[in-house]
């Protein structure tokens, strides 16, 4: 194949012939590049290797014979001077340099002087390092990577051969392709004439100007063929008519890109894409096509969010998704949503139990049932005069040995619980401290499940209970989308990202450490504190709904799937060796605890549905009042069907998540309630009832 460049033609205005067609030419240019790249890749027949060894030994012999075996041309240089001279003459693709001792020359200095020459841009340098060579210094490694790659000394011919072959098929080939691309870009950039790609017998494969397709017989063409492969970079420049011989800016830019590409530090997704690309090469067409679709999906950023069908999209679902899973349209307005600026640090007005043994008998009696899933949190709310979190917290934290773990007194724990509870807004219909107590209850229940207990450490349990307690503190009774739309101070502070969850966590820690009286962390050492804090933050942030599907899918893929393969007991014990898996379990646990309402006994489920609907109605009311976008229009108190909204919520967020969690933690009671409650909402919906109950039941 020959890439032909046309000489200027008389019947064509030469000026800007290329630029005026840039747009159509671009797609063609891409094709041309692909063709040229293939040509270059095929041209690699002989590779040149330079060995720089002060003294010949088993190691240099190893590489010598490896080159022989691979059919590479090999030179050996013994001094830095002769090495440089030889390299400037032959432009070897691979240099192997002895870096085992510095008696004869400093390998790094030699590499740097070679790197300082222009042809070295396309050369891979391999340094033979002693076995004791320290490579785990990230900065040094990154830095030296540009200079050379490392080869752990091994004089076996096989080892040397494998290394060279790998380099040839990896970096060297990419360097060739890159050089081809540089060449084409340079050519295109400087070219003011039409370009054609023809086969050897001048049949046009692709051309840049339709007007020229027919008459190439008159054309005077320059061959783009690399006659002397040793000097092809010069050949490439020769086709750039009117350009000087100096390397163009373009070439420099692409060369620096080449360096980035050859770095080993890459994101996991890059590795995955590379693996798939490699697999595609040798796959049957059907597999390769399937992998293409996989790659397409992998390149999107929203890997875990199901795409809602645009057709029969249920407005309840899309409102919930829009309201809970997006941060809304960012819109600054004068309508600043205000948080309670003064957090409630003083709690003297509260009636305070002195010790856990001191709680009123009616409360103590109620709390006896605290370990049951069917525990009625609303009764506790009533008998504690809206302080369910303090009482349940004292009981549950005691049961899990939290004061012992933290080495804190019960008085400190009590003061802390009171302070946290006081910072929940009693005026919220849903997100008040009863919700926090409910999530704490569910978390404690999950922690009691055999498999959960077996998988987690004591620190995880403590972190989970604290996270549940604080997870919605100072919640304003509005969603993240609302705060973003309203341009609230917090949304601005947290860049519209996980606004509430960030605030709950940050505020809880601020309040805790501010006052030694309620600082439950004051007696633990720094390392414990850091680990605990990290775990708490991770869990509270996991309650953010934009990441819902990500957390659930990761749990299913890392916990559920491997679980079905191994035996049960070895499995849970095994988990303790995998902190990442423990993290996924903790996230799933708090997520499920946070939205466990549809798995509670029917009466509790109905009460919760009423409260959340009321909170959303209030938000819609305020949005209308303030002229803000209404993020969840179905939650309009005049028109909303609560059963429909519950059904959508269960369908979209709950069913799969609890199936997965149940498969791990074994929760038949919850699943039974869930099925039961779902039936209740379905029944109401079929009867076109929009409220929590049938009218006949309303007096219950
Ligand atoms: C040297 O390389 C050979 C072949 O790859 C390998 O079997 C051998 O274990 C290596 N020796 C050392 C000491 O790493
Ligand atoms: C072909 O060249 C003529 C002038 O010679 C020009 O007017 C016409 O637009 C060109 N056609 C295309 C497709 O470029
Ligand atoms: C527990 O805290 C007290 C201070 O309140 C300290 O004196 C004691 O050493 C701590 N115990 C442990 C085991 O850290
Ligand atoms: C703080 O406590 C006062 C009563 O002392 C109450 O009116 C106010 O709403 C509370 N603030 C919060 C954020 O709960
Ligand atoms: C939570 O809100 C409900 C109204 O939905 C209210 O009856 C209850 O007293 C509140 N609980 C607390 C602890 O503030
Ligand atoms: C918000 O964005 C700004 C600018 O990108 C950044 O400096 C700041 O750290 C971000 N804040 C948070 C909380 O992410
Ligand atoms: C836990 O993590 C390890 C490594 O990250 C993984 O191999 C294993 O399959 C995971 N799941 C279970 C159930 O252990």
């Amino acid at each position: 194949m020959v890439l032909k460049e046309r000489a200027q033609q008389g019947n064509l205005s030469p000026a800007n012939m290329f630029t005026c067609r840039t747009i159509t030419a671009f797609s063609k240019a891409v094709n041309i590049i692909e063709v040229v790249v293939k040509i270059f890749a095929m041209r690699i027949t002989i590779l040149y290797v330079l060995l720089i060894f002060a003294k010949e030994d088993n190691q240099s012999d190893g590489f010598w014979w490896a080159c022989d075996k691979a059919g590479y041309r090999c030179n050996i240089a013994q001094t830095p001077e002769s090495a440089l001279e030889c390299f400037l003459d032959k432009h070897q693709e691979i240099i192997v340099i002895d870096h085992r001792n510095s008696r004869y020359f400093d390998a790094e200095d030699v590499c740097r002087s070679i790197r300082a020459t222009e042809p070295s841009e396309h050369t891979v340098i391999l340094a033979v390092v002693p076995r004791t060579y320290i490579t785990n210094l990230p900065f040094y490694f990154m830095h030296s990577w540009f200079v050379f790659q490392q080869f752990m000394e091994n004089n076996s011919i096989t080892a040397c051969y494998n290394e060279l072959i790998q380099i040839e098929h990896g970096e060297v080939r990419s360097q060739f392709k890159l050089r081809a691309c540089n060449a084409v870009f340079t050519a295109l950039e400087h070219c003011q004439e039409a370009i054609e790609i023809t086969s050897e017998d001048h049949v046009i494969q692709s051309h840049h100007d339709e007007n020229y397709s027919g008459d190439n017989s008159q054309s005077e063409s320059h061959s783009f063929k690399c006659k002397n492969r040793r000097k092809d970079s010069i050949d490439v420049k020769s086709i750039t008519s009117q350009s000087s011989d100096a390397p163009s800016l373009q070439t420099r830019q692409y060369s620096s890109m080449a360096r980035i590409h050859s770095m080993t530090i890459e994101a996991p997704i890059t590795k995955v894409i590379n693996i798939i690309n490699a697999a595609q090469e040798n796959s049957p067409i059907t597999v390769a096509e399937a992998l293409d679709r996989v790659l397409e999906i992998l390149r999107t950023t929203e890997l875990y969010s199901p795409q809602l069908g645009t057709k029969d999209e249920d407005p309840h679902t899309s409102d919930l998704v829009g309201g809970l899973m997006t941060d809304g349209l960012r819109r600054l307005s004068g309508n600043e949503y205000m948080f309670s600026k003064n957090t409630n640090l003083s709690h003297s007005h509260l009636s305070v139990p002195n010790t856990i043994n001191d709680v009123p008998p009616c409360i103590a009696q109620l709390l006896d049932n605290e370990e049951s899933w069917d525990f009625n949190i609303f009764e506790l709310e009533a008998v504690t005069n809206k302080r369910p979190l303090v009482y349940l917290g004292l009981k549950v934290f005691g049961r899990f040995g939290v004061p012992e773990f933290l080495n804190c007194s019960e008085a400190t724990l009590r003061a802390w619980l009171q302070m946290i509870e006081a910072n929940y807004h009693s005026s919220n219909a849903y997100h008040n401290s009863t919700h926090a107590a409910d999530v704490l209850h569910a978390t404690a229940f999950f922690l009691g499940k055999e498999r959960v207990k077996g998988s987690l450490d004591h620190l995880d349990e403590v972190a989970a209970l604290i996270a549940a307690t604080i997870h919605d503190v100072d919640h304003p009774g509005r969603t993240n989308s609302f705060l973003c739309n309203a341009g609230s101070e917090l949304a601005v502070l947290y860049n519209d990202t996980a606004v509430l969850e960030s605030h709950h966590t940050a505020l809880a820690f601020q309040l805790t450490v501010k006052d030694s009286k309620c600082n439950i962390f004051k007696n633990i050492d720094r390392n414990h504190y850091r680990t605990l804090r990290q775990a708490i933050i991770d869990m509270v942030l996991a309650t953010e709904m934009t990441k819902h599907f990500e957390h659930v899918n990761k749990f299913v893929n890392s916990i559920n799937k491997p679980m079905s393969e191994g035996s049960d007991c070895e499995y849970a014990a095994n988990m303790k060796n995998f902190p990442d898996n423990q993290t996924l379990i903790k996230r799933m646990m708090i997520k499920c605890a946070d939205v466990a309402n549809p798995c509670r006994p029917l009466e509790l489920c109905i009460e919760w549905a009423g409260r959340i609907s009321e909170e959303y109605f209030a938000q819609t009311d305020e949005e209308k009042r303030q002229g803000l976008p209404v993020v969840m229009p179905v939650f309009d108190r005049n028109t909303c069907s609560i059963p429909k909204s519950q059904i959508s919520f269960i369908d979209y967020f709950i069913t799969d998540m609890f199936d997965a969690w149940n498969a791990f933690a074994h929760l038949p009671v919850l699943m039974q309630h869930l099925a039961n409650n779902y039936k209740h909402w379905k029944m109401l919906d079929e009867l076109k009832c929009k409220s929590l109950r049938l009218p006949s039941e309303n007096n219950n």
Side-chain angles (χ1 to χ4, degrees), residues 478-493:
R478 299 291 179 260
T479 63
N480 278 330
S481 317
F482 177 97
L483 298 176
C484 295
N485 286 335
S488 77
E489 240 174 77
L490 280 185
V492 173
L493 178 62

Side-chain angles (χ1 to χ4, degrees), residues 206 226 266 276 352 599 665 678 686 689:
S206 171
C226 299
E266 52 185 353
I276 294 175
V352 173
C599 302
Y678 192 75
E686 270 154 31
C689 170

